[in-house]
mmCIF file of all heavy atoms in Angstrom:
data_model
loop_
_atom_site.group_PDB
_atom_site.id
_atom_site.type_symbol
_atom_site.label_atom_id
_atom_site.label_comp_id
_atom_site.label_asym_id
_atom_site.label_seq_id
_atom_site.Cartn_x
_atom_site.Cartn_y
_atom_site.Cartn_z
ATOM 1 N N GLN A 1 -4.357 85.376 -132.993
ATOM 2 C CA GLN A 1 -5.033 86.337 -133.859
ATOM 3 C C GLN A 1 -4.058 87.003 -134.831
ATOM 4 O O GLN A 1 -4.414 87.266 -135.991
ATOM 5 C CB GLN A 1 -5.734 87.410 -133.015
ATOM 6 C CG GLN A 1 -4.796 88.299 -132.210
ATOM 7 C CD GLN A 1 -5.530 89.306 -131.354
ATOM 8 O OE1 GLN A 1 -6.665 89.665 -131.655
ATOM 9 N NE2 GLN A 1 -4.892 89.755 -130.288
ATOM 10 N N TYR A 2 -2.831 87.241 -134.393
ATOM 11 C CA TYR A 2 -1.834 87.855 -135.273
ATOM 12 C C TYR A 2 -1.299 86.849 -136.289
ATOM 13 O O TYR A 2 -0.950 87.219 -137.413
ATOM 14 C CB TYR A 2 -0.681 88.430 -134.445
ATOM 15 C CG TYR A 2 -1.065 89.672 -133.681
ATOM 16 C CD1 TYR A 2 -1.336 89.610 -132.313
ATOM 17 C CD2 TYR A 2 -1.157 90.906 -134.312
ATOM 18 C CE1 TYR A 2 -1.695 90.746 -131.605
ATOM 19 C CE2 TYR A 2 -1.512 92.049 -133.608
ATOM 20 C CZ TYR A 2 -1.786 91.961 -132.253
ATOM 21 O OH TYR A 2 -2.145 93.092 -131.553
ATOM 22 N N VAL A 3 -1.218 85.588 -135.883
ATOM 23 C CA VAL A 3 -0.769 84.554 -136.810
ATOM 24 C C VAL A 3 -1.822 84.330 -137.897
ATOM 25 O O VAL A 3 -1.509 84.204 -139.080
ATOM 26 C CB VAL A 3 -0.480 83.235 -136.050
ATOM 27 C CG1 VAL A 3 -0.112 82.132 -137.029
ATOM 28 C CG2 VAL A 3 0.654 83.446 -135.038
ATOM 29 N N GLU A 4 -3.092 84.315 -137.493
ATOM 30 C CA GLU A 4 -4.170 84.067 -138.445
ATOM 31 C C GLU A 4 -4.319 85.184 -139.481
ATOM 32 O O GLU A 4 -4.592 84.924 -140.648
ATOM 33 C CB GLU A 4 -5.492 83.878 -137.701
ATOM 34 C CG GLU A 4 -5.650 82.503 -137.069
ATOM 35 C CD GLU A 4 -7.063 82.293 -136.564
ATOM 36 O OE1 GLU A 4 -7.736 83.290 -136.249
ATOM 37 O OE2 GLU A 4 -7.488 81.129 -136.501
ATOM 38 N N ASN A 5 -4.166 86.438 -139.047
ATOM 39 C CA ASN A 5 -4.365 87.539 -140.007
ATOM 40 C C ASN A 5 -3.114 87.854 -140.822
ATOM 41 O O ASN A 5 -3.117 88.775 -141.638
ATOM 42 C CB ASN A 5 -4.889 88.799 -139.306
ATOM 43 C CG ASN A 5 -3.889 89.396 -138.319
ATOM 44 O OD1 ASN A 5 -2.679 89.208 -138.431
ATOM 45 N ND2 ASN A 5 -4.396 90.134 -137.343
ATOM 46 N N GLY A 6 -2.041 87.092 -140.595
ATOM 47 C CA GLY A 6 -0.845 87.242 -141.413
ATOM 48 C C GLY A 6 0.108 88.330 -140.973
ATOM 49 O O GLY A 6 1.144 88.544 -141.606
ATOM 50 N N THR A 7 -0.214 89.032 -139.875
ATOM 51 C CA THR A 7 0.678 90.090 -139.391
ATOM 52 C C THR A 7 2.000 89.511 -138.898
ATOM 53 O O THR A 7 3.053 90.123 -139.043
ATOM 54 C CB THR A 7 0.006 90.872 -138.253
ATOM 55 O OG1 THR A 7 -1.236 91.409 -138.727
ATOM 56 C CG2 THR A 7 0.889 92.013 -137.769
ATOM 57 N N MET A 8 1.925 88.326 -138.330
ATOM 58 C CA MET A 8 3.117 87.667 -137.808
ATOM 59 C C MET A 8 3.080 86.188 -138.181
ATOM 60 O O MET A 8 2.006 85.612 -138.363
ATOM 61 C CB MET A 8 3.204 87.797 -136.283
ATOM 62 C CG MET A 8 3.147 89.209 -135.760
ATOM 63 S SD MET A 8 3.202 89.270 -133.955
ATOM 64 C CE MET A 8 2.668 90.970 -133.676
ATOM 65 N N LYS A 9 4.244 85.598 -138.270
ATOM 66 C CA LYS A 9 4.316 84.155 -138.441
ATOM 67 C C LYS A 9 5.330 83.588 -137.451
ATOM 68 O O LYS A 9 6.296 84.265 -137.082
ATOM 69 C CB LYS A 9 4.691 83.780 -139.871
ATOM 70 C CG LYS A 9 6.107 84.131 -140.295
ATOM 71 C CD LYS A 9 6.371 83.610 -141.705
ATOM 72 C CE LYS A 9 7.815 83.912 -142.120
ATOM 73 N NZ LYS A 9 8.117 83.369 -143.462
ATOM 74 N N ILE A 10 5.060 82.375 -137.005
ATOM 75 C CA ILE A 10 5.954 81.733 -136.046
ATOM 76 C C ILE A 10 6.871 80.779 -136.776
ATOM 77 O O ILE A 10 6.439 80.019 -137.639
ATOM 78 C CB ILE A 10 5.152 80.968 -134.976
ATOM 79 C CG1 ILE A 10 4.185 81.900 -134.268
ATOM 80 C CG2 ILE A 10 6.091 80.343 -133.954
ATOM 81 C CD1 ILE A 10 3.363 81.216 -133.189
ATOM 82 N N GLN A 11 8.126 80.843 -136.432
ATOM 83 C CA GLN A 11 9.128 80.007 -137.076
ATOM 84 C C GLN A 11 9.946 79.297 -136.008
ATOM 85 O O GLN A 11 10.356 79.912 -135.018
ATOM 86 C CB GLN A 11 10.027 80.898 -137.949
ATOM 87 C CG GLN A 11 11.112 80.179 -138.698
ATOM 88 C CD GLN A 11 11.823 81.128 -139.647
ATOM 89 O OE1 GLN A 11 11.232 81.669 -140.583
ATOM 90 N NE2 GLN A 11 13.100 81.369 -139.398
ATOM 91 N N HIS A 12 10.174 78.003 -136.186
ATOM 92 C CA HIS A 12 10.974 77.267 -135.211
ATOM 93 C C HIS A 12 12.439 77.683 -135.330
ATOM 94 O O HIS A 12 12.996 77.792 -136.417
ATOM 95 C CB HIS A 12 10.864 75.760 -135.416
ATOM 96 C CG HIS A 12 11.656 74.982 -134.415
ATOM 97 N ND1 HIS A 12 12.904 74.468 -134.676
ATOM 98 C CD2 HIS A 12 11.374 74.652 -133.123
ATOM 99 C CE1 HIS A 12 13.362 73.855 -133.601
ATOM 100 N NE2 HIS A 12 12.451 73.947 -132.642
ATOM 101 N N CYS A 13 13.033 77.944 -134.179
ATOM 102 C CA CYS A 13 14.442 78.341 -134.127
ATOM 103 C C CYS A 13 15.199 77.308 -133.300
ATOM 104 O O CYS A 13 14.810 77.023 -132.152
ATOM 105 C CB CYS A 13 14.570 79.720 -133.484
ATOM 106 S SG CYS A 13 16.265 80.282 -133.229
ATOM 107 N N PRO A 14 16.257 76.710 -133.830
ATOM 108 C CA PRO A 14 17.044 75.763 -133.036
ATOM 109 C C PRO A 14 17.526 76.414 -131.743
ATOM 110 O O PRO A 14 17.882 77.597 -131.729
ATOM 111 C CB PRO A 14 18.219 75.428 -133.962
ATOM 112 C CG PRO A 14 17.713 75.709 -135.336
ATOM 113 C CD PRO A 14 16.781 76.872 -135.207
ATOM 114 N N THR A 15 17.529 75.662 -130.672
ATOM 115 C CA THR A 15 17.886 76.200 -129.361
ATOM 116 C C THR A 15 19.250 76.877 -129.365
ATOM 117 O O THR A 15 19.443 77.931 -128.739
ATOM 118 C CB THR A 15 17.863 75.079 -128.304
ATOM 119 O OG1 THR A 15 16.548 74.522 -128.258
ATOM 120 C CG2 THR A 15 18.232 75.615 -126.935
ATOM 121 N N LEU A 16 20.209 76.315 -130.086
ATOM 122 C CA LEU A 16 21.556 76.894 -130.113
ATOM 123 C C LEU A 16 21.601 78.221 -130.855
ATOM 124 O O LEU A 16 22.582 78.970 -130.736
ATOM 125 C CB LEU A 16 22.544 75.904 -130.751
ATOM 126 C CG LEU A 16 22.815 74.623 -129.945
ATOM 127 C CD1 LEU A 16 23.770 73.712 -130.712
ATOM 128 C CD2 LEU A 16 23.384 74.954 -128.564
ATOM 129 N N ASP A 17 20.564 78.538 -131.637
ATOM 130 C CA ASP A 17 20.507 79.808 -132.360
ATOM 131 C C ASP A 17 19.517 80.783 -131.726
ATOM 132 O O ASP A 17 19.278 81.860 -132.284
ATOM 133 C CB ASP A 17 20.098 79.571 -133.818
ATOM 134 C CG ASP A 17 21.137 78.755 -134.583
ATOM 135 O OD1 ASP A 17 22.333 78.900 -134.266
ATOM 136 O OD2 ASP A 17 20.752 77.976 -135.478
ATOM 137 N N MET A 18 18.941 80.415 -130.587
ATOM 138 C CA MET A 18 17.961 81.275 -129.936
ATOM 139 C C MET A 18 18.677 82.407 -129.201
ATOM 140 O O MET A 18 19.202 82.242 -128.099
ATOM 141 C CB MET A 18 17.113 80.445 -128.956
ATOM 142 C CG MET A 18 16.166 81.265 -128.075
ATOM 143 S SD MET A 18 15.138 82.454 -128.942
ATOM 144 C CE MET A 18 14.040 81.384 -129.839
ATOM 145 N N ILE A 19 18.705 83.591 -129.823
ATOM 146 C CA ILE A 19 19.452 84.729 -129.276
ATOM 147 C C ILE A 19 18.930 85.113 -127.892
ATOM 148 O O ILE A 19 19.708 85.471 -127.001
ATOM 149 C CB ILE A 19 19.372 85.929 -130.245
ATOM 150 C CG1 ILE A 19 19.962 85.541 -131.608
ATOM 151 C CG2 ILE A 19 20.110 87.134 -129.677
ATOM 152 C CD1 ILE A 19 19.794 86.603 -132.681
ATOM 153 N N ALA A 20 17.606 85.018 -127.684
ATOM 154 C CA ALA A 20 17.033 85.419 -126.401
ATOM 155 C C ALA A 20 17.448 84.499 -125.260
ATOM 156 O O ALA A 20 17.220 84.819 -124.090
ATOM 157 C CB ALA A 20 15.505 85.469 -126.510
ATOM 158 N N ASP A 21 18.073 83.366 -125.575
ATOM 159 C CA ASP A 21 18.528 82.441 -124.534
ATOM 160 C C ASP A 21 19.537 83.118 -123.604
ATOM 161 O O ASP A 21 19.600 82.818 -122.406
ATOM 162 C CB ASP A 21 19.160 81.208 -125.196
ATOM 163 C CG ASP A 21 19.243 80.023 -124.250
ATOM 164 O OD1 ASP A 21 18.357 79.897 -123.383
ATOM 165 O OD2 ASP A 21 20.184 79.226 -124.369
ATOM 166 N N ILE A 22 20.298 84.055 -124.145
ATOM 167 C CA ILE A 22 21.309 84.752 -123.352
ATOM 168 C C ILE A 22 20.666 85.679 -122.320
ATOM 169 O O ILE A 22 21.316 86.128 -121.380
ATOM 170 C CB ILE A 22 22.256 85.545 -124.290
ATOM 171 C CG1 ILE A 22 23.556 85.897 -123.576
ATOM 172 C CG2 ILE A 22 21.586 86.798 -124.822
ATOM 173 C CD1 ILE A 22 24.588 86.540 -124.487
ATOM 174 N N LEU A 23 19.356 85.946 -122.485
ATOM 175 C CA LEU A 23 18.627 86.827 -121.571
ATOM 176 C C LEU A 23 17.883 86.064 -120.490
ATOM 177 O O LEU A 23 17.235 86.679 -119.635
ATOM 178 C CB LEU A 23 17.624 87.672 -122.368
ATOM 179 C CG LEU A 23 18.200 88.519 -123.495
ATOM 180 C CD1 LEU A 23 17.078 89.092 -124.356
ATOM 181 C CD2 LEU A 23 19.081 89.636 -122.944
ATOM 182 N N THR A 24 17.958 84.734 -120.519
ATOM 183 C CA THR A 24 17.174 83.937 -119.569
ATOM 184 C C THR A 24 18.012 83.060 -118.658
ATOM 185 O O THR A 24 17.502 82.566 -117.656
ATOM 186 C CB THR A 24 16.175 83.033 -120.317
ATOM 187 O OG1 THR A 24 16.897 82.043 -121.075
ATOM 188 C CG2 THR A 24 15.301 83.843 -121.259
ATOM 189 N N LYS A 25 19.271 82.843 -119.015
ATOM 190 C CA LYS A 25 20.120 82.001 -118.170
ATOM 191 C C LYS A 25 21.582 82.434 -118.317
ATOM 192 O O LYS A 25 21.979 82.952 -119.373
ATOM 193 C CB LYS A 25 19.956 80.522 -118.529
ATOM 194 C CG LYS A 25 20.242 80.200 -119.986
ATOM 195 C CD LYS A 25 20.060 78.704 -120.279
ATOM 196 C CE LYS A 25 18.621 78.278 -120.223
ATOM 197 N NZ LYS A 25 17.822 78.782 -121.389
ATOM 198 N N PRO A 26 22.398 82.255 -117.278
ATOM 199 C CA PRO A 26 23.803 82.679 -117.312
ATOM 200 C C PRO A 26 24.675 81.710 -118.115
ATOM 201 O O PRO A 26 25.310 80.809 -117.566
ATOM 202 C CB PRO A 26 24.197 82.714 -115.839
ATOM 203 C CG PRO A 26 23.304 81.699 -115.192
ATOM 204 C CD PRO A 26 22.012 81.748 -115.949
#
């Protein structure tokens, strides 16, 4: 619903640049 109304858009991020990766594995 947020993607459709333009409030947010999803963008592919390469795994090596995924900052949140540091929060999910050691």
Side-chain angles (χ1 to χ4, degrees):
Q1 65 182 336
Y2 288 102
V3 176
E4 282 190 334
N5 65 25
T7 303
M8 305 178 195
K9 68 176 182 178
I10 303 180
Q11 181 173 297
H12 181 261
C13 175
T15 300
L16 293 178
D17 295 327
M18 173 50 69
I19 301 174
D21 199 32
I22 199 174
L23 303 169
T24 67
K25 57 180 70 72

